[in-house]
Amino acid sequence: MRIDLAIGILLSIWLAACSTPSSPGPRGPDGTPAPKATLASEQRRLAELFRGTPVEFEMQRDGSLRITVPLTFAFDKGRFVVKPPLAKVLDLVARSQRSEASRFMVSAPTDPQSKALVLASERANSTRDYLVSRGILPTRFAASAASTGEEVVIVVADSAAH
């Protein structure tokens, strides 16, 4: 319990230190906007930002980006309010995907040893709503669902491929 709390505090401090003000976007040498980032380049960028944390960014065979955040860093026990470590991940994903045509799928678990599927559904919806509040259109979500396991999972897919 103390280790989880210590890890959570350290992760929160580290994530807060990583925040940077947003810029108008990358520019090429001639001042024109740089080409749009692919999901693969976004995976590399996010994985580097979160190196040393339990947050994972993995490219899937279908070209989608799978993001996993351990439940202990996403929600408090019995609650569905997004915790700061998950919020930091969602803020960065929303910022990079706001103007893209990507689609999202969100799933979240209930608490371990609990069968409260309503809580899992509320957590998935809360995660989706957080992204919507950061500029991701609600129509870009294919589904929000309850899941098994102990991780919140966000899948980002290029809509041209799906």
Side-chain angles (χ1 to χ4, degrees), residues 102-144:
S102 52
R103 306 272 304 158
F104 294 81
M105 193 285 300
V106 175
S107 62
T110 191
D111 290 331
Q113 282 76 43
S114 174
K115 301 203 185 290
L117 292 179
V118 171
L119 178 59
S121 181
E122 288 173 331
R123 286 174 169 170
N125 290 336
S126 180
T127 303
R128 179 203 61 218
D129 293 347
Y130 190 95
L131 286 165
V132 169
S133 76
R134 298 304 188 267
I136 303 296
L137 295 174
T139 56
R140 293 173 59 189
F141 290 85
S144 292

Side-chain angles (χ1 to χ4, degrees), residues 42-51 53-60 65-69 89-90 92-93 154:
E42 188 62 9
Q43 180 271 333
R44 288 187 297 275
R45 184 182 77 84
L46 291 169
E48 182 63 29
L49 282 173
F50 287 90
R51 182 185 306 197
T53 74
V55 179
E56 296 180 2
F57 301 87
E58 300 174 296
M59 291 304 297
Q60 303 299 292
L65 171 59
R66 184 176 191 267
I67 304 163
T68 58
V69 180
V89 172
L90 298 176
L92 290 169
V93 170
I154 302 113

